[in-house]
Amino acid sequence: MNELQQVYEATDVGLVRKGNEDNLAVLENVHVYAVADGMGGEAAGDVASQMLVDTVREMLSGRESVGEDDLCQAVIQANRAIRQYVVEHPGCEGMGTTATLLHIDDQSDSGSWAHVGDSRLYVLRQGSMVLEQITRDHSYVEDLVREGTITPEEAKTHPQRNMLTRAVGALENLPVDSGQLAVHGGDIFLLATDGLMKHVPDEEIVRLLRAGTENPARALVDAALSDGGTDNVTAVVVSLL
């Protein structure tokens, strides 16, 4: 079942930013997918997210098998590389990136993921109209929501909603969230940077994923652009047949 995967990808600079600091990786030979949203200025953010996806490709593309720990190690290695880059380029101090990785095991009905930052991994289960968020945002407003200080609706417009509490490149000893999950035929997985979630509500994401468009990732990105496109936006959609 897991060998029958349809993968779609799209990324766009948006309607406001001058450059695209997002990056993505699709390693179909090992069923590994990643999105990264760079930060630290146009040049530095682009470099950081590119280093993340390059590390994922270098470490995982030739492997016979990939596990949860392999995903985490790729993120940790990217963290080291970005921090070394800053040592060699002091003007890039503060650069970093989010990282959200997914692997679908082609030998069993299972998957694994690794995550840092506020990009997200979702799953839309077969027959469901409810979008399930797998990852947890590492952000200041997410902490406030979890503490009950503000509501999820208030978080959407909070002035510090873009403040991350964890990013690849920001910490010497970087904690990486990770986990495993069951996968089933008909499941749809979405990896996306926050430029999508800023503009497209969950219900519209579900509608577009179910719409049967030629490229649902492009449809999601276009929806974010239609709503203003204030940020770079990237989506990778993995549909299991």
Side-chain angles (χ1 to χ4, degrees), residues 121-137:
L121 170 64
Y122 294 96
V123 62
L124 181 61
R125 296 294 185 184
Q126 182 181 28
S128 174
M129 297 300 288
V130 177
L131 193 65
E132 178 185 350
Q133 183 177 337
I134 302 299
T135 54
R136 179 178 71 86
D137 293 355

Side-chain angles (χ1 to χ4, degrees), residues 208-220:
L208 291 169
L209 290 176
R210 293 290 191 210
T213 56
E214 182 177 353
N215 184 343
R218 186 70 241 179
L220 290 168

Side-chain angles (χ1 to χ4, degrees), residues 60-124:
L60 302 180
S61 61
R63 297 184 65 91
E64 293 185 4
S65 63
V66 175
E68 178 183 342
D69 186 61
D70 298 313
L71 300 181
C72 292
Q73 288 304 313
V75 176
I76 290 169
Q77 180 57 36
N79 186 67
R80 295 192 189 105
I82 292 169
R83 292 182 65 81
Q84 182 59 38
Y85 186 90
V86 171
V87 171
E88 298 168 0
H89 303 81
C92 293
E93 181 72 34
M95 70 184 283
T97 183
T98 68
T100 301
L101 284 64
L102 170 68
H103 170 247
I104 303 295
D105 191 335
D106 61 359
Q107 300 298 319
S108 66
D109 296 340
S110 65
S112 54
W113 57 270
H115 167 73
V116 174
D118 66 350
S119 297
R120 291 180 181 174
L121 170 64
Y122 294 96
V123 62
L124 181 61

